[in-house]
Amino acid sequence: ETGVTQTPRHLVMGMTNKKSLKCEQHLGHNAMYWYKQSAKKPLELMFVYNFKEQTENNSVPSRFSPECPNSSHLFLHLHTLQPEDSALYLCASSPIAKAGHYNEQFFGPGTRLTVL
Amino acid sequence: AQKVTQAQTEISVVEKEDVTLDCVYETRDTTYYLFWYKQPPSGELVFLIRRNSFDEQNEISGRYSWNFQKSTSSFNFTITASQVVDSAVYFCALSETDYNQGGKLIFGQGTELSVKP
């Protein structure tokens, strides 16, 4: 079983639709992340959650709404998206780092989103 | 500001050739971490290595090796005797040390490696 799963793997939606992306981690981690990967661009961090609390919102438009009901699940609710929001959305998780250390992030396979 | 630059957008080699992927970073932190990730066509980023700023020892893992040089702010990745399965996009990343925020990764643009048989 993979450590971080994401559903759906592919999603096509119109600009007026509402959809949600789901991420689940089976690694016992306490931090979860959403990234956006557009073509020919670096990965962009969108949101960070530590112990279910949002600790980072990287100037993301309000049409993206994250939800973290527990440390194992993370959602990204989408509404009234634009065609430029088409991208690969990656979820990641990591343990909370101890002082002076850092733990690597483990990524899911991503959801390929196309906005028509 | 922190920044990671991977100047090579695409590299194409023939199987069994050695290939080096370059990574240059900028940071004002004295403590930081560097990473390499592999992204095969399936999309999932696969963690390859983490290196902290106090450890400049080079590392070898099978056909993979990493050369970390603080003097030039570089963390280059070499694949020896490349194979078709090495074809992927490779990302170099730098972490902020504000780990109370869960740790943010700043990624480079990625280098797409194509290994031809």
Side-chain angles (χ1 to χ4, degrees), chain B residues 33-45:
Chain B
Y33 298 84
L34 295 162
F35 302 78
W36 275 95
Y37 282 86
K38 174 183 179 179
Q39 187 178 37
S42 59
E44 179 176 352
L45 269 77

Side-chain angles (χ1 to χ4, degrees), chain B residues 5-44:
Chain B
T5 302
Q6 294 177 254
Q8 306 149 307
T9 305
E10 298 177 8
I11 300 177
S12 182
V13 299
V14 176
E15 211 171 15
K16 297 196 175 80
E17 285 185 14
D18 298 348
V19 58
T20 295
L21 310 181
D22 298 332
C23 173
V24 175
Y25 62 92
E26 295 174 30
T27 180
R28 283 179 287 201
D29 287 350
T30 55
T31 301
Y32 52 90
Y33 298 84
L34 295 162
F35 302 78
W36 275 95
Y37 282 86
K38 174 183 179 179
Q39 187 178 37
S42 59
E44 179 176 352

Side-chain angles (χ1 to χ4, degrees), chain B residues 42-93:
Chain B
S42 59
E44 179 176 352
L45 269 77
V46 177
F47 166 77
L48 296 178
I49 190 171
R50 177 188 70 201
R51 173 67 72 227
N52 73 52
S53 53
F54 297 109
D55 182 3
E56 286 194 72
Q57 256 191 330
N58 290 332
E59 181 156 341
I60 297 175
S61 176
R63 296 184 297 107
Y64 295 170
S65 62
W66 290 269
N67 183 6
F68 176 32
Q69 293 195 345
K70 285 180 75 172
S71 60
T72 56
S73 297
S74 65
F75 186 42
N76 296 337
F77 172 31
T78 297
I79 301 175
T80 303
S82 61
Q83 300 176 1
V84 173
V85 293
D86 295 327
S87 297
V89 181
Y90 291 86
F91 290 94
C92 180

Side-chain angles (χ1 to χ4, degrees), chain A residues 6 8-13 21 35-44 46 64 76 78 81-90 109-115, chain B residues 39:
Chain A
Q6 289 186 243
R9 294 294 308 275
H10 300 271
L11 178 62
V12 179
M13 59 187 289
L21 310 184
Y35 287 87
K36 176 183 178 182
Q37 185 179 23
S38 304
K40 308 297 183 186
K41 288 186 180 179
L43 275 78
E44 302 168 57
M46 299 174 73
F64 295 92
L76 188 63
L78 316 170
L81 294 191
Q82 305 297 312
E84 58 265 28
D85 296 322
S86 298
L88 180 68
Y89 288 85
L90 290 159
T111 295
R112 176 71 63 186
L113 174 67
T114 302
V115 181
Chain B
Q39 187 178 37

